[in-house]
Amino acid sequence: MERSTRHNMQEVVEQGMFVKHCKVEVYLTELKLCEDSNMENVVTRRFSKADTIDAIEKEMRKLFSIPEEKETRLWNKYMSNTFEPLNKPDSTIQDAGLYQGQVLVIEQKNEDGTWPRGSSTPKSSGASNLSALPKISPSSLTNNHNSSYNNRNVKNSSYSLPSYPPYNSYDYSDHARHSEKPGLCGLSNLGNTCFMNSATQCLSNIPPLTEYFLKDKYTDELNEDNPLGMKGEIAKAYAELTKQLWSGKYSYVTPRAFKTQVGRFAPQFSGYQQQDSHELLAFLLDGLHEDLNRIRKKPYIQLKDADGRPDKVVAEEAWENHIKRNDSIIVDIFHGLFKSTLVCPVCAKISVTFDPFCYLTLPLPMKKERTLEVYLVRLDPLAKTTQYKLTVPKVGYISDLCTSLSTLSGVPAEKMIVTDIYNHRFHRIFATNENLSSIMERDDIYVFEVAVNRMEDTEHVVIPVHLREKYKQSGYNHTSTPLFGQPFLITVPRTLSEDKLYNLLLLSLCRHLRCPVEEEESEETVPTKQHTINGNATNGILEEGSPSEMETDEQDDESSQDQELPSECDNSQSEDSVVGDNELENGVGQENSTKGPPPLAGHKKRLFTFQFNNMGKTDFSFIKEESRQIRFDEGHLRLSDRSYLSLDWEPETKKKYFDETVTEDFDKHESMEYKPQKKAFFKLNDCIELFTTKEKLGAEDPWYCPNCKQHQQATKKLDLWSLPPVLVVHLKRFSYSRYMRDKLDSLVDFPIRDLDMSEFLINPNAGPCRYDLIAVSNHYGGMGGGHYTAYAKNKDDDKWYYFDDSSVSPASEDQIVSKAAYVLFYQRQDTVKGTGYFALDREDHEEQRSSSAQGGATQSEEEEEEEEEEEEDLNDNENEEGEEEPEPNHDVTMNTN
C-alpha cells in the first residue's frame, strides 16, 4: 500500500549527468515483470524513473512470493533471444536505460548452487542450455565451439550473459559467434538507433582514432576530473565498443550499453526517437575530446582581435591559445582553423578572428526561386477559377506572390488577398508582409480578387464566408456542423441591411446555384443573368442609392432580372420576391406545379440563414435589432480566419439548389505548362565556395560592433586557414524555419580520391592538402524519420563496405556517391598509415624495424653457425682421409645426416 500510495504522487526527476534537467514526472514507467521459470506469466507494474534496480527486485520477490533465503538476480530482456544482467542495485531506472514496456526477468538460484541461466564458468560440452556460455567481457571473449554447441539450433534458442560482467559490457548474437574480419561487424538497431549506428561505424573506420583505442593508448590520457567532460565514461564506452567491432569474432553486436552511456550525458539521445547522425557525431567528438583532454587545468586566456596584425601572427596565436586549453587525440585528428572577417555596415569596423573547427557544415547551393501553384478567384462571380504556376523568390514575401500573379493575370496586386484553404475552410489568411516560407508545397493556395484596396478603403470590410450544412434531426451543432463547398471572401459596406447582405451573398454564389426546372428554361435564363451580373453588379458591392440596391419600388426589367439570382430560372419575378421579408421567390417551386402545390407554396423562404462567428463563438454585436441593420466596427476591418460568416443550408435545399461539382471546375493558365529546369547535381567544390562566400548577417543574428556600441547586421566571410588530418564535411541537407522543415535531396558529386583543398586555403604555407574519402554517413527519406546507413573503407584490406545496422556487405565505389550522402569523412594523404605522421604510426614503424633487425641478426648468427659446422665437417673429413679410407657413400651419408 505504501508503494502504490507513493507512486500516486508526482516526483521531480533529474535528467542528464552534468547539464541537469529537472522534470516533474507525470507518468510513471510501466515495466513488465516475470519469472525465469515462467515467462508467460507477465505482471505489469509502474515505477518512478528515480526507483532503483534494488527496489524493483524487492518488489518482484514480493510479487512472486520468493523466500528471503533464496538468492536471485535480475535480467533485462530486450530482444527475443538477448538478456542483459542488471547488476547495479543502486542504479535508477533512468540510469539503467529502462524504457516503457521493458520486460524484466527474475531468476532464482538452483538448490545445487547453479543458476538456470548459467554460471561464470563454462559448462561441459554436453550442456544443453545455451545460456551457459563463457563469461563475455573485453578480456575473455572466446570462440569455444565444440561439436555439441555447433549442432544446436542457435537461432531459436534463448541467449543470455551467463554471469555478471561490468555494466558497460555488450551482448552478442549466438549465430554471430564465428570468426569475421576485424571491422566488419554490424550494430543492432535498438529502436530508431540507426543514426547512432551510422555515425559510430564512420568513426570506427577512421584509422588513427581506432588504432588509438585498440592499443589502449586512451587509458593513459583519461581525464576523469574534467568538469566539461563525462568523467571518462564516454571514452571508456566507445573504447569497449571499438574493440568489439574490431575483434573479428562477431558479425554484429548490440550497443545497448553504449547508447545508455550516451543517453546519460545527452538526454536528447536517451529515448528511442529518430535523431540526427551529425548531431550525435558532434556530441561524440566533443565528449571524447573532453574525456581525453591532456590539459588537466585550463588556463584563462584573453581573446584578442587582429587589430591590423598579419594573418600569420594572429593565426599562430589563436592556435597556440587553443592548444593551451584543448589538447587531445580528437584535436590531433579533427581540428582545423578558419578565419572569420566581420565588417560593420555603419562604421566600417573590420574584425578578424581565427577560430578552430572540428567539422565543416557546408550549405548546399539552392535555387533563389521556387514555383508555386495557386488558384485565382475573380471578382466576377460567373468567372471560373483559374490555376497559375508562379515563379517567386525562395526567400520572399506574400507581396512577391501577388506581384507575380498580377503580371500573369492583370489583376492589381493591391486588390489580392492570399489564403490557404483546407477542409472547406480558411486555414490561413496571409498578410502581404508574411514570408513565403510559410507556404508549403502541398498547401492549396487561393488568391481572391477583391473590389477595394483594403489599405486605402475603410468604408468597406472583407468578410470570410464558410458554407455549412444543418443536421436534419436537431438543427445544427456549432462544433460539428459539416462544411462543404469552397469558402470565399465578400466585400460589403460597413453599414447595410440584412436583406442587402443576403442578396450580395447570392450574387457571389450564383455560379454554384442550379435551378430545378426544365433544361431549356435554364438555357433561356443564362444569357440574361450573364448580362445582369456583368452590368450592374460587377464590383460586388451594394452601394447606397444604386439601382442594384433593390430597395426601389420601380419596376425595371434589368433590375428585376438582377434579383433572380437565387433561382436563376424565373424571368417574371418581382424585385420584392427576392429581398422581402426573408423570403424566397414563388417561382422556385414551379417544377412541382403538376403534382400539386409545392411545400413552400403560400410563403417565401431563403435558401440559407447566416451567422457571424468570432473566435469560434456566435457574434451578434453587429446586428441592431430595431432596424435589422448591420454595422461593422473597427474590429471587423482586421481580416482573420478566426472571424467569419457561416451560411447554413438545410440538407434538402443544398441538395436541390447547390452544385458542388462547380468547385472542381477550373481553368488552367498557360503558365501551368512551364517546367523549371532542375540542375542534375552540384559539386562539392560548389558547396565549399558557397561556404566561403561573403554574406550579410540576418536581423535575428546581428553582430555587436565595439565601435558603434550596438548590434549591427554586419557582412561576414569565412576562409580556411589550416585543415586537419581527417576532414569531416557535413552537408546541410535539412533546413528549418518557423513554418517549414525541409530536406534537400540534391545530388552532391564528391570525389572519392584526390580532393584538392589548396584553392580554398588562404594560408600560403598550409602544406599538403589532398584528401581521400574513407567514410560516408547516409540518410534516406524525409524529415523527422528516414533511415541512416554508412559506407566505410576498411583500414586492413582497403575495400569499401556498406553498413546497414546489423548487416555488413561489400560495396563498390560507384555506389558511394548518392543523394543520400550526408556526412563525409576524408583523410589527408600525407597522414595515412606508413607515412609516420601520427606517433602511433611511428611507433609501429620502429617496432617493425627493430623486429626486422632482430630477425636479421638471428638469421646471420644461424648462418655463421652453419658455416662453422661445415668447416668442422671438412676438417673431420681431412683427418679421416689420413687414416683408413672409408667407403665414399658412407661418409656422404653421415655428413648429410
Side-chain angles (χ1 to χ4, degrees), residues 498 610 612 619-626 628-631:
E498 186 178 340
F610 52 79
F612 274 91
D619 184 5
F620 294 103
S621 63
F622 60 91
I623 297 180
K624 307 304 177 186
E625 289 295 333
E626 64 279 2
R628 302 301 294 176
Q629 286 288 310
I630 298 175
R631 292 189 179 92

Side-chain angles (χ1 to χ4, degrees), residues 192 194-196 199 268-269 273-283 730-731 733-734 736 777 779 783 785 788 822-823:
N192 288 327
C194 55
F195 73 96
M196 180 184 77
Q268 67 268 31
F269 301 120
Q273 293 80 31
Q274 182 68 281
Q275 302 286 349
D276 189 309
S277 69
H278 173 256
E279 290 179 5
L280 177 75
L281 178 71
F283 164 76
H730 167 223
L731 300 177
R733 290 196 177 277
F734 300 110
Y736 304 88
S777 176
H779 179 266
M783 291 291 300
Y788 287 92
Y822 182 44
V823 186

Side-chain angles (χ1 to χ4, degrees), residues 575-594:
E575 160 190 349
D576 294 335
S577 67
V578 176
V579 298
D581 304 324
N582 298 345
E583 304 294 335
L584 186 63
E585 63 276 12
N586 290 328
V588 170
Q590 286 179 0
E591 61 175 355
N592 298 326
S593 58
T594 58

Side-chain angles (χ1 to χ4, degrees), residues 98-117:
L98 302 183
Y99 54 89
Q100 187 81 1
Q102 183 73 58
V103 178
L104 301 187
V105 180
I106 191 166
E107 178 190 23
Q108 300 183 46
K109 201 170 190 179
N110 295 325
E111 296 296 336
D112 58 2
T114 61
W115 292 96
R117 292 202 162 270

Side-chain angles (χ1 to χ4, degrees), residues 123-143:
K123 289 190 178 182
S124 65
S125 59
S128 60
N129 191 345
L130 266 183
S131 63
L133 297 174
K135 179 177 179 179
I136 296 179
S137 65
S139 59
S140 62
L141 282 165
T142 58
N143 282 319

Side-chain angles (χ1 to χ4, degrees), residues 347-469:
C347 68
K349 159 73 176 174
I350 300 176
S351 172
V352 176
T353 57
F354 285 80
D355 302 299
F357 66 88
C358 191
Y359 49 83
L360 294 180
T361 295
L362 302 184
L364 269 61
M366 296 189 301
K367 292 185 299 183
K368 295 184 178 179
E369 294 178 332
R370 62 186 285 206
T371 58
L372 277 179
E373 294 182 6
V374 303
Y375 297 90
L376 175 63
V377 181
R378 296 274 184 171
L379 187 59
D380 180 356
L382 290 177
K384 278 187 180 182
T385 299
T386 308
Q387 187 181 23
Y388 290 82
K389 182 177 285 186
L390 307 179
T391 301
V392 295
K394 200 147 194 174
V395 181
Y397 301 93
I398 297 296
S399 57
D400 296 316
L401 182 154
C402 295
T403 302
S404 177
L405 182 56
S406 177
T407 304
L408 295 178
S409 66
V411 177
E414 63 272 12
K415 291 189 176 181
M416 292 181 182
I417 295 179
V418 182
T419 70
D420 176 8
I421 293 179
Y422 174 72
N423 202 18
H424 308 292
R425 69 170 62 245
F426 286 111
H427 179 62
R428 289 192 65 187
I429 298 176
F430 297 96
T432 54
N433 60 351
E434 286 192 66
N435 290 321
L436 281 174
S437 59
S438 59
I439 296 179
M440 304 182 73
E441 295 298 328
R442 64 175 179 269
D443 292 341
D444 290 324
I445 303 301
Y446 283 78
V447 182
F448 289 85
E449 178 187 3
V450 291
V452 297
N453 183 340
R454 291 177 55 243
M455 304 304 294
E456 299 174 358
D457 191 328
T458 58
E459 296 303 316
H460 296 86
V461 292
V462 178
I463 306 294
V465 182
H466 293 173
L467 304 177
R468 301 194 303 191
E469 181 179 1

Side-chain angles (χ1 to χ4, degrees), residues 18 223-231 290 296-298:
F18 299 109
N223 189 343
E224 299 179 355
D225 301 321
N226 186 354
L228 298 178
M230 285 73 177
K231 297 185 177 180
E290 296 296 355
R296 303 296 167 174
K297 187 175 181 181
K298 295 187 177 185

Side-chain angles (χ1 to χ4, degrees), residues 321-353:
N321 289 340
H322 179 59
I323 293 300
K324 287 177 183 177
R325 292 174 56 86
N326 303 279
D327 184 15
S328 70
I329 186 67
I330 302 299
V331 175
D332 298 343
I333 297 174
F334 296 100
H335 283 206
L337 200 66
F338 63 71
K339 175 186 177 183
S340 174
T341 306
L342 288 160
V343 180
C344 178
V346 178
C347 68
K349 159 73 176 174
I350 300 176
S351 172
V352 176
T353 57

